[in-house]
Amino acid sequence: MATLITRHYIDIATRSGRRRVHYRKCGNGGPTVLMVHQSPRSSAEYEPLMREWARHFTCIAPDTPGFGESDPPSSQPSIADYAGAMVEFLDHMRFRKVDLLGYHTGSL
């Protein structure tokens, strides 16, 4: 039986207004793992891993601003803006502690 990945949308208050964020969730127990995709992709790239890890973790994979189904940022973002967006997401979701999985295959 395949492990269910659910999809969600939330509105986050930001310094420049409100931004809609799409994220995927899989698993309902164990430590929370935040899975951050690389650009220009989406959280969909983590679906196979989410299904596998859901037995041991609660996997959360948001689409970063401007990618997948999340709203774009209000201006040309910097790396710090993307990091800030993840902090805003975690604060909104009321996560106090998460483990982080991410990678990048290019250069800045």
Side-chain angles (χ1 to χ4, degrees):
M1 181 170 90
T3 303
L4 180 66
I5 295 174
T6 58
R7 297 174 68 174
H8 309 268
Y9 294 88
I10 56 173
D11 290 318
I12 295 178
T14 68
R15 288 174 277 159
S16 59
R18 297 194 73 71
R19 183 172 46 81
R20 188 172 199 203
V21 177
H22 169 259
Y23 68 96
R24 289 170 166 82
K25 179 180 178 186
C26 192
N28 289 313
T32 300
V33 177
L34 179 68
M35 301 174 152
V36 181
H37 66 85
Q38 69 174 344
S39 299
R41 298 182 183 173
S42 77
S43 59
E45 71 181 282
Y46 283 116
E47 285 191 356
L49 189 57
M50 292 174 84
R51 285 187 180 93
E52 183 67 28
W53 283 16
R55 291 177 288 181
H56 307 287
F57 302 100
T58 299
C59 302
I60 304 290
D63 288 338
T64 58
F67 297 99
E69 295 184 37
S70 288
D71 286 347
S74 59
S75 62
Q76 183 63 33
S78 66
I79 295 296
D81 293 327
Y82 285 113
M86 288 297 105
V87 171
E88 291 169 348
F89 174 78
L90 292 171
D91 286 348
H92 182 87
M93 299 292 290
R94 295 194 168 111
F95 289 121
R96 295 188 58 150
K97 180 181 176 182
V98 297
D99 292 308
L100 176 65
L101 173 67
Y103 66 94
H104 194 283
T105 57
S107 61
L108 297 177

